[in-house]
Amino acid sequence: EGVHHFGAGLLHLGLQRTDRVGIWLDKRVETVIASFGAPGAGGVMVPMNPLLKPEQIVYIARDCNLRFLVTSPERFALLAPLLGRCLDLSYVVLTESAADSAALPPGLSVRNWDALLGGASASSGHRVIDTDLCAILYTSGSTGQPKGVVLSHRNLVAGAKSVASYLENGP
């Protein structure tokens, strides 16, 4: 249910097909919901390693034209002074309420997770097919800047089946 509500919230904010949705969180429920909800609504998830520094997050955001970012108030506080460099970023979704967001660049809005999930009616999202873009995974950048690896919905399903097979996962 949370996955559908998250996707509907993004659509309510104007999510277009293939809009990039960055996810800069630790391992937590919101990470999973955003990871499935963004592609389910027709967007593209861009998971960001929680160990990255704010400057690295800004690099990725600029590189893939991030339009939405899901993060925590603590991470947002570290990132806020640099967000003026992320020209395509329109919305930051915070997992909890944050104190002050008055110093944001023009055109950038902050939304609360609970309000996003509760403020939009259920919607089926943009139509997606198996060859559509689903995710952009960034390399570690050990030999330079990180590079985005583009994956379709079909790529992710094939990868999941492969991993489930060698781990001998069952229903």
Side-chain angles (χ1 to χ4, degrees), residues 142-171:
S142 56
T143 60
Q145 292 289 12
K147 292 169 185 60
V149 177
V150 178
L151 299 170
S152 69
H153 289 265
R154 184 186 299 171
N155 294 141
L156 284 181
V157 170
K161 285 181 178 180
S162 174
V163 170
S165 173
Y166 75 72
L167 291 178
E168 299 179 0
N169 290 347

Side-chain angles (χ1 to χ4, degrees), residues 71-74 76 94-100 110-115:
T71 194
S72 67
E74 299 79 21
F76 176 67
L94 297 179
T95 54
E96 293 100 30
S97 296
D100 183 24
V110 175
R111 296 291 193 271
N112 176 273
W113 178 268
D114 290 332

Side-chain angles (χ1 to χ4, degrees), residues 32-135:
V32 176
I33 291 172
S35 296
F36 283 97
V44 177
M45 72 162 162
V46 183
M48 301 170 167
N49 186 329
L51 300 177
L52 293 179
K53 300 198 178 331
E55 295 79 13
Q56 295 167 303
I57 297 301
V58 167
Y59 171 81
I60 292 171
R62 290 174 52 94
D63 185 63
C64 72
N65 307 99
L66 210 65
R67 179 137 182 259
F68 298 87
L69 175 65
V70 181
T71 194
S72 67
E74 299 79 21
R75 291 174 186 277
F76 176 67
L78 299 171
L79 194 58
L82 306 173
L83 290 178
R85 295 190 273 175
C86 302
L87 303 179
D88 295 308
L89 188 61
S90 298
Y91 295 97
V92 175
V93 178
L94 297 179
T95 54
E96 293 100 30
S97 296
D100 183 24
S101 59
L104 290 177
L108 182 62
S109 297
V110 175
R111 296 291 193 271
N112 176 273
W113 178 268
D114 290 332
L116 180 79
L117 269 65
S121 58
S123 174
S124 60
H126 298 287
R127 182 176 179 269
V128 295
I129 60 173
D130 63 339
T131 57
D132 284 346
L133 182 60
C134 181

